[in-house]
Amino acid sequence: MIKITVLTLFPEMFVPLHESILKRAQEAGLMEINLVDFRDYAASKHKNVDDVPYGGGAGMLLKPEPIFAAIRDLPQTCNQRRLILMSPQGQVFHQEKAKQWSAHKELVFICGHYEGFDERVRELADEEVSLGDYVLTGGELAAMVMIDAVARLIPGVLGEEVSAEEDSHSIGGLLEYPQYTRPAEFEGRKVPEVLLSGHHAQIKRWRRKESLRRTFLRRPDLISEITFGAEDYLILEELILEHEEIASWRGKWQHLCPPPKRRRRSSKKLSEI
């Protein structure tokens, strides 16, 4: 089981984490989600958690005392805890990060609000992570997205483990191939014949080709991180014929080109030499 704790000023925002798949995962004891309102740890009479920045400037900063106190009040663990600060200055979240976090016993997310944190709050964190290169009104929405991404990688949360393994960004960094269900034809749009063939090897090849196609055309920024295998060579050469723009990447797999077959001399000709 993985334990997830969220420090937030707005615990009521996290209702979606108690619905659908995540709800069943918690009921099954696969994960535990705890919400801590760090306003409860404010020492002032009016429970103030923010103040004006030294040196002036717009907005209010979250004070360090309530957050430090909330972290120190968490139950002690045996160095199994990963403390994550939601911050637009942090590393951009990605699927590999979700995989890394899913292996931990406990994750703690600190959600900011207002103009940001007092700089000393950063000392608490093992890492700072951002949902993307933009700024939100608070860290709550980002934390929910990250928790959902981690949760579905926990064994048993999804019905079939292969579901997570074949997601976009999990298939060797590629986008997921197109998928279809019944009916086989809908308003003139037919399911590709290969998927109806029952030929597993051909289906596997088709899916690999479509994953490669989608990644090249939709997310070419991912291509530099992909390692191609020898079985990809012919597929990639086919894709070049269908999409000329893919040819600019040819150097990444050209070394996989199989050597030309050497012709054997017939035994008759050898005997005549």
Side-chain angles (χ1 to χ4, degrees), residues 247-273:
S248 62
W249 294 93
R250 202 174 207 162
K252 283 188 60 67
W253 66 80
Q254 194 62 41
H255 65 285
L256 299 173
C257 179
K261 293 182 179 180
R262 298 178 63 181
R263 293 183 178 180
R264 290 186 177 182
R265 295 183 180 182
S266 65
S267 57
K268 180 179 180 181
K269 288 184 177 181
L270 289 172
S271 65
E272 293 174 353
I273 297 175

